[in-house]
Amino acid sequence: MSEKVLQTIKELTEINSPSGNAAEAVNYVKDKAESLGYPTKLTNKGALIITVKGEDDEHQRCITAHVDTLGAMVKEIKEDGRLALSLIGGFTYNAIEGEYCEIQTEAGQVYTGTICLHETSVHVYKDNHEIERNIEHMEVRIDEKTTSAEETRDLGIEVGDFISFDSRTQITPSGFIKSRHLDDKASVAMILELLEKLKQEDTTLPHTTQFYISNNEEIGYGANASISEKIIEFIAFDMGALGDGQSSDEYTVSICAKDSSGPYHKELKSHLINLCKINQIPYKVDIYPYYGSDASAALRAGADIRHGLFGAGIESSHALERTHIDSIKATQDLLYAYCLSPIKL
């Protein structure tokens, strides 16, 4: 594993790209892939497909990762000039309380702010810790002189403007990388690292592989369209979910056996496990109970594919996330081994 992948993760996480407004992050990946000489295609809904030609063009693979993230929109401009939020993606308000954010207007202006409980001050609001964190009580305090809805609108801010959360990305001396949006920008960075490795080694894959960088995964329909009928295997390259009752950790690659959509393809899961055993890659097999992926979205859309899911173990998913370079390395090793392995026809 090179240190470059960590820098790429940092650069990606620092690009604002909530679902519905991920074009800048998509273009970042597009430029990187094209600089390496790979052909790319933008789909109508703004996703990116990077095609790597292989020896067998009739039986293809698709590996998808997503650059869209959690975020919010302006739901309402309040009488005091502050903003009510409408959340984008599956998370709770307590995960963003106190977070710095940016509001992007329709005209492209960017303002900073903080996501606060309206009744934050303990010197004014008794027992504020008992107040439910919800749309009625959470708001954005804008870093501008505004005390009315009219003054906020004069800034160019309106209902429907996107709100992005500060990534706060840090790489520690002990080998941890912590940030918002490691789900799933860590995976995207690893794909870019793989593409560079294949180019440097002049490696030809056994099967043509489409790397599908989706832009709507967090809202349920990222890589569920523009899927070639030649694709046999479809991998969601996403995060492993950690917590009580889970076997995955921050130091291995996590292979998903089942999530909220049901079991993943048994033979493909077994193939991933065998690759780990053969290549001495540390791994864990897990079930993610409240999770859905672009692979399951593709199946629901009618794709006739064998679907699988693996990725780095991510602590505190959909909040202040963290993983370790050991997990990144194990995940990269499995990605490389998988891409170089033949499809069982």
Side-chain angles (χ1 to χ4, degrees):
M1 187 196 81
S2 74
E3 294 298 318
K4 188 174 181 181
V5 70
L6 299 179
Q7 182 58 35
T8 303
I9 293 173
K10 188 173 190 298
E11 290 176 6
L12 266 172
T13 54
E14 290 174 350
I15 297 173
N16 292 336
S17 57
S19 299
N21 193 30
E24 184 180 352
V26 169
N27 287 331
Y28 172 97
V29 180
K30 182 175 183 288
D31 291 344
K32 291 276 190 180
E34 290 179 349
S35 71
L36 293 168
Y38 293 103
T40 67
K41 174 188 174 182
L42 286 172
T43 70
N44 282 334
K45 64 181 179 182
L48 176 70
I49 298 175
I50 305 163
T51 301
V52 180
K53 285 290 185 180
E55 295 174 0
D56 183 350
D57 194 53
E58 290 303 310
H59 307 93
Q60 299 184 9
R61 285 184 164 120
C62 181
I63 299 174
T64 180
H66 64 94
V67 290
D68 66 303
T69 71
L70 307 173
M73 275 183 165
V74 177
K75 169 65 174 65
E76 174 192 352
I77 301 176
K78 297 185 174 184
E79 290 183 1
D80 62 0
R82 296 190 178 191
L83 309 174
L85 303 95
S86 177
L87 304 184
I88 298 173
F91 66 108
T92 56
Y93 279 100
N94 67 290
I96 57 170
E97 183 175 1
E99 189 58 272
Y100 294 163
C101 64
E102 291 187 346
I103 307 103
Q104 182 179 342
T105 72
E106 189 69 26
Q109 301 153 295
V110 175
Y111 296 99
T112 63
T114 305
I115 300 168
C116 304
L117 179 71
H118 177 79
E119 302 89 349
T120 289
S121 177
V122 296
H123 297 98
V124 178
Y125 302 100
K126 184 181 180 182
D127 299 328
N128 67 348
H129 60 284
E130 297 179 357
I131 296 172
E132 185 177 357
R133 272 57 176 168
N134 59 25
I135 190 171
E136 295 179 7
H137 296 280
M138 299 297 291
E139 62 189 16
V140 175
R141 180 186 67 198
I142 309 168
D143 298 328
E144 299 291 332
K145 288 185 176 180
T146 172
T147 57
S148 68
E150 182 181 7
E151 289 177 343
T152 294
R153 284 195 164 92
D154 286 343
L155 295 172
I157 296 173
E158 261 301 346
V159 171
D161 288 344
F162 283 94
I163 299 170
S164 302
F165 312 143
D166 189 343
S167 66
R168 292 204 272 172
T169 309
Q170 290 185 17
I171 302 167
T172 73
S174 54
F176 287 99
I177 179 163
K178 54 184 183 177
S179 174
R180 290 194 185 273
H181 316 317
L182 293 179
D183 170 24
D184 187 32
K185 290 181 174 180
S187 297
V188 176
M190 284 186 266
I191 286 175
L192 289 173
E193 180 91 349
L194 172 70
L195 294 176
E196 185 169 356
K197 180 181 177 70
L198 295 176
K199 186 66 66 173
Q200 289 174 345
E201 295 178 348
D202 195 24
T203 300
T204 300
L205 298 180
H207 300 275
T208 294
T209 301
Q210 295 184 11
F211 292 92
Y212 193 127
I213 310 301
S214 72
N215 61 334
N216 288 293
E217 194 274 349
E218 294 292 2
I219 50 178
Y221 59 92
N224 64 348
S226 305
I227 301 169
S228 169
E229 292 183 357
K230 293 182 178 182
I231 290 172
I232 306 295
E233 293 182 349
F234 190 107
I235 292 289
F237 190 42
D238 212 323
M239 66 167 187
L242 278 57
D244 292 343
Q246 300 297 103
S247 65
S248 298
D249 56 39
E250 296 174 83
Y251 314 108
T252 59
V253 59
S254 179
I255 299 171
C256 184
K258 175 184 179 292
D259 65 13
S260 64
S261 68
Y264 281 76
H265 193 273
K266 182 178 183 297
E267 284 74 21
L268 183 50
K269 179 199 71 177
S270 297
H271 179 55
L272 295 171
I273 293 171
N274 287 334
L275 286 172
C276 287
K277 291 178 178 178
I278 291 168
N279 294 279
Q280 298 184 313
I281 301 168
Y283 74 97
K284 297 288 176 65
V285 179
D286 225 332
I287 290 174
Y288 313 150
Y290 311 111
Y291 190 115
S293 76
D294 268 342
S296 48
L299 281 176
R300 285 194 297 271
D304 184 13
I305 51 172
R306 304 170 192 169
H307 71 314
L309 166 60
F310 68 92
I314 303 294
E315 165 64 24
S316 299
S317 60
H318 283 196
L320 292 171
E321 298 167 345
R322 191 185 76 167
T323 193
H324 193 270
I325 57 173
D326 290 351
S327 184
I328 300 266
K329 182 181 185 304
T331 305
Q332 285 185 289
D333 289 346
L334 179 54
L335 178 65
Y336 183 73
Y338 171 70
C339 287
L340 268 64
S341 67
I343 295 175
K344 185 177 180 181
L345 301 173

